[in-house]
Amino acid sequence: MPLLSLKNLSKRFDKTQAVADVSLDVERGEFFGLLGPSGCGKTTTLRMIAGLETPDSGSIEFDGRDITNLPAERRGFGMVFQNYALFPHLNVFENVAFGLRARHKPNPEIRERVKGALELVQLPGYEKRRVDELSGGQQQRVAIARAIAIEPALLLFDEPLSNLDVTLREETRGELRELVNRLGLTAVYVTHDQEEAFALCDRISVMVGGRILQTGLPRDLYEHPAQLLVGQFLGRNNLIRAIRLSAGKSELAEFQTLEGGHTIRIAVGDKNLVPLNQACILAIRPEHILITKLDDQLENAVPATVREINFAGATSSIKLDANGLTLEALALEAAGLSVGDHCIAVLPPERISLLRNE
Ligand code: ADP
Ligand code: MG
């Protein structure tokens, strides 16, 4: 049984449908990501989980109980916000103690738990410090300490690292993941940053326009986006317009590209297939296209001309023209290639996703 279950949650603000029919399950001990562009409804979803916003319809179950109408303070969830939401007039101790005082814990227990929480976020002995004397990274650690001090049944993060600079963000990211693991907590982590979600989360739901488009392991989402919107949102992709020709060989379906007229065979499970002669989009990541000079009878070997080579440190981006079809490939070394060269671009069938265009 999942620890947290959202069932068909919807929420509207006047004319804005902020969240539309969102369903997802979070397992016990899971670090679960909600990833999507700004304005897609992530914060609203998280606030409904926290009990800070009431859904218009749908329900929320936690540990087998319906908590849809349970007040926030009785849910026992810890929350960490982007802007830290600390009390500037209180010192670190009082900020971390806040949730414990609200729960009427005895003073010795409060002192013990605050101390422990500050140690966990690597700010031991900071109790007396004023919050406004701390750096952004330290303030966010205090906010995390406050959230874990209550030993929350669920931790909710709303873009907690986005106000930190890059180095600190990556460092804090690693520590956060380690901390949540060590405490055996379950977390829901909201972010618009794909790299952050991929680095942190066990599973991710991709959200666009108030809806969840796809939920899965980071690698599956990246390599096999089920929809055009997911493919576009998750980094660079060659999006190739095509129509389906025939089932082709037993496990490969055959397509013809609209640009270039190439025949491309892809490996598909039957769940993904489009009808014959129907237009669709084939997606392949630049790093999955192989460039070779030899036509050694590989599947989906497309003759192409090198149009551009862009050196980008560890890799080079190579723009190819295949009879009117533009392809981008990433190569560790642009070994021996020059602009104007003829080559073969190989698109391995198992690396190609078939996207629904919706
Ligand atoms: P995200 O966190 O993904 O950026 P939000 O959940 O904050 O998205 O917002 C989703 C949509 O709902 C946006 O269009 C936003 O403007 C709108 N919205 C959010 N909160 C309110 C509110 N309290 N009143 C009116 N509109 C809101
Ligand atoms: Mg938000």
Side-chain angles (χ1 to χ4, degrees):
M1 187 180 63
L3 182 64
L4 174 73
S5 223
L6 309 188
K7 296 192 189 328
N8 310 101
L9 276 195
S10 293
K11 178 72 182 178
R12 167 184 286 277
F13 298 106
D14 302 321
K15 291 201 175 65
T16 311
Q17 186 71 49
V19 174
D21 201 27
V22 161
S23 298
L24 59 86
D25 288 337
V26 178
E27 304 297 329
R28 203 176 291 272
E30 198 169 31
F31 203 113
F32 190 92
L34 209 49
L35 170 67
S38 172
C40 74
K42 305 181 297 292
T43 293
T44 306
T45 304
L46 204 68
R47 287 174 57 83
M48 290 194 281
I49 299 172
L52 301 171
E53 207 78 72
T54 314
D56 297 335
S57 57
S59 64
I60 305 173
E61 281 174 22
F62 186 76
D63 212 4
R65 285 171 63 210
D66 187 320
I67 60 160
T68 317
N69 297 311
L70 194 69
E73 64 275 12
R74 293 187 46 206
R75 296 190 186 193
F77 300 165
M79 188 142 175
V80 182
F81 303 89
Q82 175 175 354
N83 58 6
Y84 319 142
L86 297 173
F87 303 108
H89 59 288
L90 300 179
N91 66 16
V92 169
F93 180 90
E94 288 303 331
N95 267 284
V96 178
F98 183 78
L100 300 166
R101 292 216 192 283
R103 285 168 175 75
H104 308 293
K105 300 287 181 201
N107 276 328
E109 184 182 339
I110 292 180
R111 274 198 298 278
E112 203 51 39
R113 288 230 219 159
V114 170
K115 185 165 179 277
L118 286 175
E119 276 164 9
L120 284 171
V121 298
Q122 300 180 29
L123 289 175
Y126 273 63
E127 280 90 340
K128 295 273 161 49
R129 298 283 280 273
R130 283 168 52 123
V131 162
D132 53 10
E133 287 170 350
L134 303 179
S135 70
Q138 290 172 329
Q139 290 189 24
Q140 192 54 298
R141 283 161 200 240
V142 173
I144 294 167
R146 179 177 61 188
I148 58 177
I150 61 169
E151 293 176 0
L154 180 67
L155 259 179
L156 304 173
F157 293 101
D158 193 356
E159 316 226 16
L161 307 181
S162 51
N163 286 350
L164 306 180
D165 65 44
V166 181
T167 326
L168 195 57
R169 197 187 310 151
E170 288 180 3
E171 199 180 295
T172 316
R173 183 165 89 190
E175 288 169 6
L176 189 63
R177 173 77 240 217
E178 209 263 318
L179 179 64
V180 169
N181 260 352
R182 186 147 39 93
L183 298 178
L185 293 171
T186 308
V188 179
Y189 190 97
V190 159
T191 180
H192 68 275
D193 182 332
Q194 176 206 320
E195 196 190 310
E196 190 170 293
F198 280 19
L200 273 171
C201 300
D202 298 317
R203 280 191 312 140
I204 297 170
S205 281
V206 178
M207 201 170 173
V208 175
R211 293 180 182 278
I212 288 179
L213 299 185
Q214 196 175 350
T215 300
L217 304 174
R219 176 172 291 278
D220 289 344
L221 294 176
Y222 186 76
E223 291 184 355
H224 295 291
Q227 288 185 37
L228 182 58
L229 277 170
V230 178
Q232 283 170 330
F233 183 66
L234 299 181
R236 298 231 289 262
N237 233 324
N238 288 285
L239 301 171
I240 304 169
R241 298 194 302 154
I243 57 167
R244 182 166 165 230
L245 290 181
S246 74
K249 290 186 203 161
S250 53
E251 282 136 39
L252 300 179
E254 201 166 66
F255 293 78
Q256 185 170 49
T257 65
L258 297 191
E259 279 77 31
H262 303 288
T263 301
I264 301 284
R265 295 189 182 83
I266 80 169
V268 273
D270 33 26
K271 63 180 190 308
N272 264 338
L273 269 185
V274 292
L276 286 181
N277 297 318
Q278 182 163 314
C280 59
I281 289 177
L282 305 179
I284 182 166
R285 298 280 172 192
E287 65 268 34
H288 291 149
I289 294 184
L290 313 173
I291 298 177
T292 149
K293 291 215 156 173
L294 308 166
D295 182 2
D296 45 5
Q297 303 291 307
L298 289 167
E299 199 73 72
N300 300 334
V302 176
T305 308
V306 177
R307 285 283 175 247
E308 257 182 68
I309 300 177
N310 296 301
F311 175 71
T315 57
S316 294
S317 155
I318 298 166
K319 293 263 168 57
L320 301 167
D321 173 42
N323 190 28
L325 172 68
T326 304
L327 294 172
E328 184 193 357
L330 273 192
L332 277 178
E333 289 172 83
L337 283 178
S338 320
V339 171
D341 279 0
H342 296 289
C343 64
I344 306 288
V346 179
L347 286 58
E350 68 284 1
R351 294 297 199 181
I352 303 175
S353 302
L354 174 59
L355 302 189
R356 294 191 304 273
N357 190 2
E358 29 179 60

